[in-house]
Amino acid sequence: MSWGTELWDQFDSLDKHTQWGIDFLERYAKFVKERIEIEQNYAKQLRNLVKKYCPKRSSKDEEPRSAIEMHLASTSSLQQVQLPSLGIQPSSFPSSGQSVGNLRDSSMPKEPAGQREVVAEEMAHRVYGELMRYAHDLKTERKMHLQEGRKAQQYLDMCWKQMDNSKKKFERECREAEKAQQSYERLDNDTNATKADVEKAKQQLNLRTHMADENKNEYAAQLQNFNGEQHKHFYVVIPQIYKQLQEMDERRTIKLSECYRGFADSERKVIPIISKCLEGMILAAKSVDERRDSQMVVDSFKSGFEPPGDFPFEDYSQHIYRTISDGTISASKQESGKMDAKTTVGKAKGKLWLFGKKPKGPALEDFSHLPPEQRRKKLQQRIDELNRELQKESDQKDALNKMKDVYEKNPQMGDPGSLQPKLAETMNNIDRLRMEIHKNEAWLSEVEGKTGGRGDRRHSSDINHLVTQGRESPEGSYTDDANQEVRGPPQQHGHHNEFDDEFEDDDPLPAIGHCKAIYPFDGHNEGTLAMKEGEVLYIIEEDKGDGWTRARRQNGEEGYVPTSYIDVTLEKNSKGS
């Protein structure tokens, strides 16, 4: 049967082609899987790289040692966040670093490594997972279609065999009938044959003729059935199976094209976010100020020691010209002069820590083991921390008193006496903190008394102290008495300069520069100032290291704005605007 061979050859070709399509689908899925692993490994290695080279400090209070370290901290942090602070203080990055995309969608990751993980997750969900699921469905569908084709072919073969068997049987019966005919004719023409033999031959002929007729009818029926099934097979069943296989292969092609687009979209979605990160790196690089870096290093390491005095002249020739009467006096003066010189040299040599060795010893409570300037800074930091703790305890005391009043008015809500132990503990903490503040302020006054000739240091420390308190409560700062609240902007004290005469308490603070908003800021929190992108504001107070700058509009409205959202330009010799 040539038609059967050709049909099976075509069927085998379709079988191989559809199998090749599924193999290609799975091969592409394997490629996507390996690409996902590469993206995940890249994100992990990028994080490890940043963690390895990001500057490390032994404690939170340790300051940057050099401008190089601060710049390295800023560039390393840029690998962690999308669009960091435009300043280079490492302490400002965790609080103020945000991406532009993150302002629109808080669920977006803030780091390039996270963006690579987003690509991997998108590919895994949208491409790899979809390919594996579709490949499984495709195998099941292909198997079903091929089984239907084989069943149709097997049914047609069965019909053909039935028809062929009936044909062969009809042919065999016809030959037997011919033999019976020839035997009957031979006996009928033989004169020696008996009548019984002739009659028997005639009956045999009739039987064979009847069987041949029956086989003929069976063969005709089987032939008609086979022709109908063959027509149905070639014009209905097989075309339908081929069409289903064709549609299946076309859907596979469409699915591949969708996965190609999904693969590209997964990469394309993160390109704008990574571009924002690179723009932030460029802005941070442009904002590096070598003068400010140097000044920060100077402020971090200046000791506050007075330079040593001049060495006195030691005249060893006095004993040659001295007389007996004044020898004793001269000798005593000379010995006294030597003693003073040695004492001066020893004291001066002990304080020159810049190129000498620092004295080793345990850290003291009053930081007296540190140079004067460093001691003053440490004491000021401790006082600021104690003031914050005092404010928390005061707020807790106020809350407990309010709760106690509520309980007294409504006894069913609680027992006022149950709050007494907590109130007593809070009052003890407040007293302890006030004593600590008083003790540290006494040490600070001692240090500033020794360095009274340099009043600018105290002035800057007071401003820093008050601004720090002003950040916690934008409406004003708090005095030592936790119950007494002073409203208004932070005021400078402990130092008198020309601004005290030029500006009264009711006058606005002078502008020390101007700034331009790089990003919009809503300013929902109390004490902050809302601004639009590109808006120009006056700077009335610099960032003290907490990531906020005090600014003022032209209409006089004041408030704090994030330092990372503005481009600051300070006036060198400005007394106000």
Side-chain angles (χ1 to χ4, degrees):
M1 290 176 62
S2 59
W3 58 266
T5 305
E6 294 175 357
L7 181 64
W8 279 111
D9 290 341
Q10 295 176 357
F11 211 73
D12 289 341
S13 299
L14 288 177
D15 188 359
K16 293 178 182 180
H17 174 74
T18 53
Q19 184 61 41
W20 173 86
I22 294 176
D23 292 340
F24 181 79
L25 196 70
E26 292 179 340
R27 184 175 179 83
Y28 181 67
K30 185 177 179 181
F31 163 77
V32 175
K33 181 181 179 181
E34 293 184 3
R35 173 62 185 274
I36 291 170
E37 294 175 355
I38 291 174
E39 293 290 348
Q40 292 173 345
N41 292 332
Y42 174 70
K44 181 179 179 180
Q45 292 176 7
L46 183 60
R47 282 200 178 96
N48 293 336
L49 178 67
V50 175
K51 183 178 180 181
K52 179 180 178 181
Y53 287 97
C54 188
K56 299 179 180 178
R57 298 187 180 86
S58 58
S59 63
K60 296 181 180 179
D61 296 334
E62 185 177 352
E63 297 181 356
R65 297 181 178 179
S66 64
I68 296 177
E69 180 182 350
M70 291 184 292
H71 184 62
L72 181 59
S74 64
T75 54
S76 299
S77 298
L78 282 167
Q79 296 295 332
Q80 294 288 346
V81 296
Q82 287 294 329
L83 194 57
S85 168
L86 296 183
I88 62 171
Q89 297 90 337
S91 60
S92 65
F93 282 106
S95 60
S96 59
Q98 289 187 1
S99 65
V100 174
N102 191 38
L103 294 176
R104 295 190 297 266
D105 185 4
S106 59
S107 63
M108 294 296 293
K110 298 181 180 180
E111 50 185 342
Q115 298 300 325
R116 305 318 306 177
E117 289 179 345
V118 168
V119 173
E121 292 175 1
E122 186 76 9
M123 288 182 179
H125 175 70
R126 186 175 177 181
V127 182
Y128 179 72
E130 188 69 16
L131 284 174
M132 296 304 295
R133 183 191 63 80
Y134 188 75
H136 179 269
D137 297 341
L138 201 64
K139 289 180 180 178
T140 304
E141 183 180 358
R142 172 181 173 275
K143 183 178 179 180
M144 180 185 66
H145 294 326
L146 293 178
Q147 287 179 351
E148 290 178 355
R150 291 188 181 95
K151 287 180 180 179
Q153 184 64 37
Q154 291 173 0
Y155 178 72
L156 185 63
D157 292 342
M158 183 188 68
C159 293
W160 180 83
K161 288 180 180 179
Q162 291 177 354
M163 183 271 297
D164 187 63
N165 291 334
S166 63
K167 177 183 176 181
K168 290 179 180 179
K169 190 175 181 180
F170 171 64
E171 183 182 3
R172 185 173 60 252
E173 291 297 331
C174 287
R175 285 197 300 268
E176 292 294 333
E178 289 177 0
K179 289 180 181 179
Q181 179 71 26
Q182 293 175 1
S183 178
Y184 171 73
E185 290 177 355
R186 187 178 69 252
L187 289 175
D188 188 38
N189 295 326
D190 189 2
T191 58
N192 296 323
T194 63
K195 187 176 180 180
D197 293 335
V198 174
E199 188 66 25
K200 185 179 179 180
K202 185 178 180 181
Q203 292 178 357
Q204 185 69 21
L205 175 61
N206 293 332
L207 178 62
R208 291 295 178 183
T209 303
H210 178 72
M211 292 181 66
D213 291 338
E214 289 182 353
N215 287 321
K216 180 180 179 181
N217 295 331
E218 179 68 17
Y219 168 64
Q222 292 293 338
L223 179 62
Q224 184 179 3
N225 179 64
F226 171 74
N227 289 332
E229 292 296 334
Q230 179 177 252
H231 184 276
K232 180 181 178 181
H233 179 80
F234 285 101
Y235 288 94
V236 179
V237 178
I238 292 300
Q240 181 67 24
I241 294 174
Y242 285 175
K243 183 179 181 181
Q244 292 174 351
L245 289 172
Q246 180 181 358
E247 291 176 352
M248 180 192 72
D249 196 62
E250 290 175 354
R251 291 198 305 271
R252 177 191 63 84
T253 307
I254 294 173
K255 179 61 67 174
L256 274 174
S257 66
E258 292 176 355
C259 292
Y260 292 158
R261 290 196 298 270
F263 186 91
D265 289 339
S266 301
E267 185 83 17
R268 187 174 59 180
K269 284 181 180 179
V270 302
I271 291 178
I273 304 175
I274 297 178
S275 298
K276 291 294 183 182
C277 175
L278 298 177
E279 292 175 4
M281 295 176 68
I282 294 174
L283 291 174
K286 290 180 179 179
S287 66
V288 173
D289 187 354
E290 69 281 0
R291 295 292 183 182
R292 186 175 61 174
D293 292 357
S294 300
Q295 187 60 40
M296 290 175 66
V297 176
V298 171
D299 294 339
S300 299
F301 293 114
K302 62 182 177 181
S303 64
F305 287 135
E306 292 287 348
D310 297 336
F311 281 71
F313 176 75
E314 300 181 13
D315 190 0
Y316 295 99
S317 63
Q318 290 182 1
H319 68 281
I320 300 175
Y321 305 104
R322 68 185 179 184
T323 59
I324 298 176
S325 59
D326 61 358
T328 304
I329 301 175
S330 300
S332 61
K333 290 182 179 179
Q334 183 178 355
E335 292 175 359
S336 176
K338 290 181 178 180
M339 186 179 297
D340 295 340
K342 291 180 179 179
T343 303
T344 305
V345 173
K347 290 182 178 179
K349 188 175 181 180
K351 293 181 179 180
L352 289 178
W353 291 355
L354 182 60
F355 299 102
K357 295 182 178 180
K358 294 184 179 180
K360 296 181 180 180
L364 302 178
E365 184 183 6
D366 59 351
F367 301 109
S368 58
H369 62 287
L370 297 176
E373 184 63 25
Q374 302 298 326
R375 182 186 180 192
R376 184 193 64 78
K377 292 173 65 177
K378 291 291 185 181
L379 289 172
Q380 186 64 57
Q381 291 176 4
R382 180 184 290 176
I383 291 174
D384 295 340
E385 293 175 359
L386 291 173
N387 280 327
R388 286 192 289 269
E389 294 180 8
L390 179 62
Q391 182 59 38
K392 291 180 181 178
E393 294 292 337
S394 299
D395 294 341
Q396 185 176 359
K397 185 193 72 172
D398 295 339
L400 289 173
N401 286 330
K402 291 180 180 179
M403 189 180 298
K404 183 179 179 182
D405 294 339
V406 173
Y407 286 175
E408 289 176 351
K409 294 179 181 179
N410 301 305
Q412 66 275 11
M413 297 183 66
D415 183 14
S418 62
L419 301 177
Q420 193 60 34
K422 189 64 177 178
L423 272 171
E425 181 183 355
T426 304
M427 292 301 298
N428 291 334
N429 291 337
I430 291 175
D431 294 338
R432 177 181 56 81
L433 290 172
R434 285 177 179 173
M435 291 178 62
E436 288 291 330
I437 292 173
H438 181 71
K439 180 170 61 174
N440 283 274
E441 285 181 346
W443 289 334
L444 183 61
S445 300
E446 178 185 351
V447 176
E448 292 178 345
K450 291 181 180 179
T451 59
R454 292 183 292 274
D456 293 338
R457 297 175 183 172
R458 176 57 177 164
H459 176 63
S460 62
S461 66
D462 290 344
I463 294 176
N464 189 17
H465 174 52
L466 289 176
V467 169
T468 304
Q469 291 183 347
R471 298 293 189 270
E472 296 180 358
S473 178
E475 296 181 357
S477 60
Y478 295 90
T479 61
D480 291 341
D481 189 357
N483 297 325
Q484 182 180 359
E485 184 177 358
V486 180
R487 298 292 180 179
Q491 301 293 331
Q492 302 177 0
H493 67 279
H495 181 70
H496 183 76
N497 54 20
E498 58 184 354
F499 292 107
D500 296 335
D501 299 331
E502 186 175 355
F503 297 94
E504 299 297 332
D505 293 340
D506 296 334
D507 294 337
L509 293 175
I512 58 176
H514 63 277
C515 65
K516 183 178 180 181
I518 303 176
Y519 312 109
F521 179 63
D522 296 336
H524 294 314
N525 297 330
E526 187 177 2
T528 58
L529 181 65
M531 61 181 180
K532 300 179 180 178
E533 183 177 355
E535 185 177 359
V536 179
L537 306 172
Y538 292 114
I539 298 297
I540 59 177
E541 190 176 293
E542 291 186 71
D543 186 358
K544 299 302 181 180
D546 56 359
W548 293 89
T549 300
R550 192 171 180 180
R552 181 173 62 222
R553 284 200 180 93
Q554 295 181 359
N555 59 4
E557 185 179 358
E558 297 181 2
Y560 291 99
V561 296
T563 308
S564 59
Y565 284 37
I566 58 176
D567 185 7
V568 180
T569 302
L570 298 178
E571 305 294 341
K572 295 183 179 180
N573 298 318
S574 174
K575 292 174 60 178
S577 64

